[in-house]
Amino acid sequence: MSFHYSVGPWNVHDGTDMFGGATRDVLDVKETIRHVAPLGFQAIQFHDDDLVPDIQEKSHGEILAETRRMRAFLDDLGLKAEFVAPRLWAPPEFRNGALTNPDAALRGKAIERSRRCLELAREMGCDLVGFWFAREGTVVAESKDPVASVGYLVEALNTLLEEDREIRLFIEPKPNEPIDRSFAPTMGHAMALSSLTVAPQRVGGLVESAHAILAGLDPALEMAFALAHGRLFGVHLNDQNSLRYDQDKAFGAENLRQAFNQVRVLHHAGFGSRGEYVGLDVKALGPQPASNRLQHLRNSLRMVRIMERKVQEYEKARAAAGNLDIEQEELLVLETLLGATGEPAGGAH
Ligand SMILES: [Mn+2]
């Protein structure tokens, strides 16, 4: 099968990296989407303020009107919205957490901002709202009660699940940045949190390859764990050089075998057959000229497609090889990745 693909407007390179300022004019969201549409994406991922810039300063009427204009804009391009995610880590008042802020009034504000995303998702014709628990952890461990904080997360999810009986929510775990101790750093935590809610089947996970690597885990197995629960609602494919800063490199750029295994696990599970998208979350390699605005996206799509073919090639060679011990199987994987075809399969050397 062939996947359907999604991407966020923040993945189009604007000439910056996280360690420097703008090096040229930043495109607006619509212009950005116009650039990615022809590359082979079927859906766009949105933060609430990608959808409606300066959303916090606008009236409900303005927000609705702008959201509807974005929906019409996507319709014209033949694109769907995959999800809407509240940008809960950006406002300065949430510097010590949004949904887990020790201040009940601030937690209430964070739930309010999340609740608005339910309506935005409906307006955009999707049923998915996403949470990256960016500041839901600590930089000063003693500043929050970790047991109570997990309870706050469950309460927040329950509020949203009860408000909208159709909506599905996902948790995108990440172990660090901008905090250094997350309350939900892995897919295991996400699934456990899901199971504590009033509607576990509507609370899934989204695996970002780099976040799994930063937790010292195998992204393919993180995906498999959520798949085994029937709750892998999305993926953010990218790559990451070990425990460096969060890099969001193009898919496969660091570890081809790890990339192969991610595509393999998705392929085997029939990921996408229930409307899921294979999402990218990739950044360009530092400040690049405008002509390189899209190349990391093209590279990543190409890598996913090559890996789909490699998975099929591998399955065929594996079936033809008959009984292999694990040393031979290991070699067959490496030969497949290197395109060492035409030679005896798996360890006849
Ligand atoms: Mn990342």
Side-chain angles (χ1 to χ4, degrees):
M1 66 171 276
S2 207
F3 297 129
H4 288 100
Y5 296 95
S6 72
V7 69
W10 62 92
N11 292 124
V12 171
H13 182 53
D14 61 8
T16 65
D17 69 14
M18 65 196 288
F19 304 106
T23 56
R24 60 170 183 267
D25 288 345
V26 174
L27 300 175
D28 76 11
V29 172
K30 284 185 177 159
E31 204 46 50
T32 299
I33 293 172
R34 238 182 236 119
H35 273 86
V36 301
L39 299 184
F41 293 99
Q42 286 78 40
I44 303 295
Q45 313 158 7
F46 288 100
H47 296 118
D48 51 3
D49 58 359
D50 296 322
L51 209 46
V52 181
D54 304 316
I55 192 166
Q56 290 298 79
E57 278 108 69
K58 288 180 179 159
S59 70
H60 184 247
E62 287 171 319
I63 291 170
L64 268 189
E66 284 191 37
T67 304
R68 287 172 182 164
R69 281 201 291 276
M70 184 64 84
R71 171 83 185 265
F73 175 77
L74 286 194
D75 285 348
D76 283 347
L77 291 171
L79 293 168
K80 305 273 187 208
E82 182 187 13
F83 62 74
V84 181
R87 200 187 291 275
L88 291 176
W89 57 92
E93 62 186 349
F94 293 149
R95 62 188 167 275
N96 196 22
L99 299 172
T100 61
N101 197 295
D103 179 337
L106 288 175
R107 290 200 301 278
K109 276 190 169 181
I111 291 178
E112 254 339 284
R113 182 154 179 174
S114 308
R115 179 184 273 150
R116 191 175 49 202
C117 286
L118 304 175
E119 185 182 14
L120 297 181
R122 270 196 303 272
E123 287 291 335
M124 292 304 290
C126 64
D127 69 345
L128 196 55
V129 167
F131 292 88
W132 171 41
F133 289 153
R135 293 189 197 274
E136 315 308 350
T138 62
V139 278
V140 176
E142 298 76 10
S143 67
K144 294 183 185 178
D145 175 338
V147 177
S149 295
V150 172
Y152 297 150
L153 291 175
V154 175
E155 266 172 46
L157 296 172
N158 281 343
T159 302
L160 302 171
L161 292 166
E162 278 165 352
E163 162 125 359
D164 182 332
R165 304 278 166 169
E166 307 286 314
I167 202 78
R168 296 178 305 134
L169 310 175
F170 72 74
I171 298 165
E172 177 184 344
K174 182 184 179 188
N176 62 332
E177 286 187 345
I179 45 80
D180 59 12
R181 290 177 176 83
S182 168
F183 296 131
T186 71
M187 196 41 68
H189 291 83
M191 291 297 104
L193 272 177
S194 162
S195 297
L196 289 174
T197 68
V198 293
Q201 292 313 320
R202 290 196 283 131
V203 182
L206 180 146
V207 175
E208 174 175 320
S209 323
H211 295 173
I213 296 164
L214 284 165
L217 298 171
D218 184 320
L221 291 187
E222 288 283 274
M223 291 171 190
F225 193 75
L227 284 165
H229 287 75
R231 296 179 215 163
L232 184 66
F233 290 176
V235 292
H236 272 170
L237 299 186
N238 59 18
D239 214 343
Q240 167 77 28
N241 176 10
S242 66
L243 304 184
R244 309 300 198 268
Y245 64 95
D246 186 353
Q247 297 179 305
D248 300 335
K249 286 190 173 186
F251 184 59
E254 282 296 326
N255 191 327
L256 292 174
R257 189 172 184 178
Q258 212 162 251
F260 170 80
N261 280 314
Q262 290 172 71
V263 173
R264 184 163 179 261
V265 87
L266 294 174
H267 177 83
H268 278 192
F271 185 80
S273 58
R274 288 165 299 276
E276 310 96 323
Y277 293 97
V278 169
L280 300 182
D281 192 3
V282 292
K283 295 197 179 80
L285 294 168
Q288 301 274 326
S291 55
N292 254 353
R293 180 176 272 148
L294 302 170
Q295 193 54 41
H296 59 298
L297 295 171
R298 289 195 191 95
N299 291 0
S300 297
L301 284 175
R302 175 137 172 83
M303 287 305 302
V304 181
R305 290 180 176 132
I306 291 173
M307 286 304 173
E308 276 191 276
R309 285 205 301 279
K310 289 288 174 190
V311 167
Q312 284 155 5
E313 240 175 71
Y314 175 74
E315 301 305 344
K316 230 167 112 185
R318 181 70 191 80
N323 287 333
L324 295 180
D325 66 31
I326 56 172
E327 298 283 0
Q328 292 169 321
E329 178 147 27
E330 170 118 303
L331 182 59
L332 181 58
V333 173
L334 300 180
E335 285 177 340
T336 306
L337 286 173
L338 290 170
T341 52
E343 295 172 36
H349 316 286

